[in-house]
Amino acid sequence: MQPMDSGQQIVDYPSALDFLYGRIDYERNAVIPYRSMTFKLDRMRELLSRLGNPHHAVKAVHVAGTKGKGSTCAMVSAALIAAGYDVGMFTSPHLERLEERFRFQNEPCRVDELVDLAAQIQPVVQAMDREAAATSAAESGPTYFEVTTAMGLLFFCQRAVDLAVIEVGLGGRLDSTNVCLPVVSVITSISFDHTKQLGNTLQRIAKEKAGIIKPGIPVISGVRDAEPRKPIRDAAHRWGCRLLEIGRDFDVIVPSESSSQPYDLGGVCNRMDYRESPDIYLTGLDVNLAGQHQLENAAVAIAALHALRQEGWDIDESALRKGLANVVWPARAEIFAGQPTIVLDTAHNVASMDALNDVITKIPVSGRRWLLFAASSDKDIRGMLRSVLPVFDEVILTQFESQLRTTAPELLAEEAKQVITEDLSLNSEPNIHILARAADAWQLATERAASEDLICVTGSFFIAAELRKHIEEQCRTSQVAVSER
């Protein structure tokens, strides 16, 4: 790690970013030593203690899970705002600007606020750097994620939010956000991801996620499978928590007429009913995010909001409905309705690719479907390609700018060819294109795709972040309305 020189003070936005991006960043590193001494909450607690323990003044909804946690955070936050509360939201990673991680009333913190937060935390971090260096060569000062998490908690404290909705970064038990004081703990769906860090079984992964459960705090679980359910049940029982599980205590009901019909790109994305035992049944809920998986996330969000209401929070049904109908969460099956239609998604594991397929197949397209794909080296690339290749006619393989974790497109092509050779479900073999730069891959897609075609960009959060600005620019240039779903 090469942190900012101790004599260089934060005075503006560039110097704030220099300070933050000079920290160890496990979001982009090729190796994430989650189980080593690097990941521990003692350092995070020490950092917050030196800042005056801002998290002690922040009530939180803490959200973990393999997929869907960001969308669930966005839905809970939107409903709370509609109910009249001042709401903070901390999510990661960011798409385009660091300020997106720290939101107040769903608006990213201002640049001057970010600079001020970084300036407040800088001397504390530098002191911890010096102490760590003097203690042991194996020790390090606070990481990038620890620093940004602390900044988020400090931001929420200074903004005097009524409630903060906080997304776990990685795992749960050892995640930097696990110092927060939740009023409700939420675990969304569990699937295989970060297996080197969290374990190679769903039970082990769930056990890490269940590490966010706190004594006596209500727990909402969106986990359906029996194997990962058990560790969550065990933890809830051990800590004396009321546990509500999807499929047992609450559930989503998809009206038969909306389960298979194509998306109306000019109208409502999704519609659902919700039931919660013994006597709560809500019908005709509109959810402004595409995909069957988002209805599952919406059910988890509603259960969390109902749990908050039981804890004394004033959240009526109209606020809940308004929040779900108006929620915006970019790059999660985000549909840019135009010619061609463009879909941007951060899917980066097999389960999220399967969920994306549900969206793609329901978008009415008379032309060809183009896939622009890049992936991190630590992901199940063959599994993702096996899921998504049958849906597309043209496949462009590329890489994102962060070279530490990206996979060379030539290696992606080898995996794609292996899938094509083995998979008998492919009706026809897609055409494969290989381009080293994502910007060139995007240019190829837009130049060759016809107006009646569809282009989907996916495979990694990083490729979605890198190309979203190009997609928005094309939409502005062609004066195409953007439909965020």
Side-chain angles (χ1 to χ4, degrees):
M1 177 183 67
Q2 296 294 327
M4 174 187 286
D5 181 77
S6 59
Q8 184 180 352
Q9 298 302 307
I10 293 173
V11 295
D12 53 19
Y13 188 64
S15 60
L17 294 185
D18 285 346
F19 164 67
L20 294 169
Y21 291 143
R23 314 304 303 171
I24 295 176
D25 183 0
Y26 290 117
E27 289 177 5
R28 291 183 177 271
N29 278 11
V31 178
I32 307 174
Y34 178 79
R35 293 182 179 276
S36 78
M37 63 185 296
T38 304
F39 275 70
K40 52 186 178 182
L41 294 181
D42 290 348
R43 186 174 53 218
M44 185 66 193
R45 292 191 180 101
E46 177 64 21
L47 173 59
L48 290 171
S49 175
R50 296 187 187 201
L51 292 169
N53 289 316
H55 59 306
H56 288 175
V58 179
K59 296 177 180 178
V61 175
H62 199 197
V63 183
T66 305
K67 65 187 186 73
K69 58 184 184 290
S71 299
T72 302
C73 286
M75 287 187 256
V76 171
S77 177
L80 288 170
I81 293 169
Y85 289 107
D86 289 339
V87 182
M89 185 167 69
F90 176 81
T91 58
S92 63
H94 58 274
L95 277 171
E96 296 177 60
R97 295 176 66 86
L98 183 65
E99 303 92 279
E100 297 168 16
R101 296 178 182 234
F102 326 112
R103 292 177 179 267
F104 177 75
Q105 301 301 77
N106 203 34
E107 292 294 326
C109 78
R110 302 189 309 268
V111 168
D112 64 300
E113 290 177 308
L114 183 135
V115 172
D116 183 60
L117 289 166
Q120 290 180 64
I121 207 170
Q122 182 190 28
V124 173
V125 170
Q126 290 175 337
M128 293 179 68
D129 282 345
R130 291 191 295 269
E131 291 167 15
T135 301
S136 167
E139 289 287 338
S140 68
T143 66
Y144 168 80
F145 189 74
E146 287 169 340
V147 173
T148 53
T149 301
M151 287 172 61
L153 293 167
L154 191 60
F155 175 60
F156 300 146
C157 177
Q158 293 175 353
R159 281 280 196 160
V161 300
D162 297 312
L163 197 63
V165 184
I166 298 176
E167 179 190 13
V168 167
L170 172 64
R173 180 176 61 92
L174 298 177
D175 189 75
S176 300
T177 65
N178 204 25
V179 297
C180 74
L181 305 178
V183 290
V184 174
S185 301
V186 179
I187 300 174
T188 62
S189 63
I190 301 291
S191 55
F192 288 105
D193 199 9
H194 296 295
T195 53
K196 291 182 180 178
Q197 294 78 35
L198 305 181
N200 57 6
T201 69
L202 293 179
Q203 190 172 51
R204 289 181 179 176
I205 294 171
K207 187 175 181 180
E208 290 295 319
K209 310 290 185 184
I212 71 165
I213 294 174
K214 304 295 189 297
I217 302 301
V219 179
I220 310 300
S221 172
V223 178
R224 289 191 181 274
D225 295 338
E227 181 186 353
R229 266 188 171 187
K230 186 178 185 306
I232 297 168
R233 286 178 175 177
D234 291 346
H237 176 74
R238 182 169 62 254
W239 295 116
C241 305
R242 183 167 61 92
L243 172 65
L244 279 78
E245 293 180 310
I246 196 168
R248 185 190 70 175
D249 305 296
F250 67 94
D251 214 340
V252 57
I253 297 96
V254 182
S256 58
E257 64 273 13
S258 63
S259 61
S260 59
Q261 66 183 16
Y263 285 123
D264 174 9
L265 298 187
V268 172
C269 259
N270 261 322
R271 178 159 289 179
M272 62 176 276
D273 299 339
Y274 172 89
R275 67 107 182 135
E276 184 176 322
S277 59
D279 55 2
I280 298 174
Y281 198 97
L282 305 178
T283 61
L285 294 161
D286 292 333
V287 180
N288 194 42
L289 295 172
Q292 179 80 23
H293 63 296
Q294 294 292 10
L295 301 184
E296 298 269 315
N297 295 332
V300 173
I302 295 169
L305 291 163
H306 283 174
L308 285 171
R309 190 158 62 186
Q310 291 187 351
E311 296 295 313
W313 297 82
D314 185 11
I315 309 163
D316 61 22
E317 184 180 326
S318 64
L320 186 152
R321 288 181 178 273
K322 183 177 180 181
L324 294 180
N326 295 329
V327 64
V328 173
W329 197 227
R332 277 68 173 187
E334 183 179 11
I335 302 172
F336 297 77
Q339 297 179 332
T341 301
I342 301 167
V343 179
L344 180 67
D345 193 78
T346 59
H348 54 268
N349 60 31
V350 175
S352 54
M353 283 294 171
D354 290 342
L356 175 61
N357 287 345
D358 173 65
V359 176
I360 296 297
T361 55
K362 288 183 180 178
I363 297 176
V365 174
S366 60
R368 298 172 70 77
R369 293 191 178 103
W370 293 73
L371 171 67
L372 195 159
F373 183 91
S376 296
S377 56
D378 58 341
K379 302 301 180 182
D380 180 6
I381 293 171
R382 187 173 300 183
M384 289 194 290
L385 290 171
R386 187 178 295 113
S387 170
V388 78
L389 282 182
V391 180
F392 291 92
D393 307 294
E394 304 281 344
V395 176
I396 305 173
L397 303 173
T398 188
Q399 60 190 353
F400 41 84
E401 289 180 355
S402 176
Q403 300 300 314
L404 289 176
R405 289 182 65 188
T406 195
T407 303
E410 292 80 9
L411 296 179
L412 294 178
E414 291 178 12
E415 295 288 347
K417 290 174 183 176
Q418 190 67 30
V419 169
I420 291 169
T421 301
E422 296 174 353
D423 197 340
L424 299 179
S425 68
L426 289 168
N427 295 323
S428 60
E429 183 175 327
N431 296 316
I432 304 292
H433 312 266
I434 300 173
L435 287 168
R437 295 180 64 249
D440 295 336
W442 173 248
Q443 183 176 354
L444 176 68
T446 53
E447 287 179 350
R448 295 196 183 182
S451 60
E452 66 271 17
D453 291 356
L454 177 146
I455 302 172
C456 177
V457 177
T458 192
S460 168
F461 202 102
F462 300 122
I463 193 66
E466 189 173 329
L467 291 184
R468 191 171 190 271
K469 57 183 177 290
H470 293 281
I471 296 171
E472 288 185 313
E473 178 61 30
Q474 171 153 324
C475 290
R476 283 192 293 268
T477 301
S478 59
Q479 296 182 336
V480 175
V482 177
S483 176
E484 296 211 27
R485 299 172 178 270

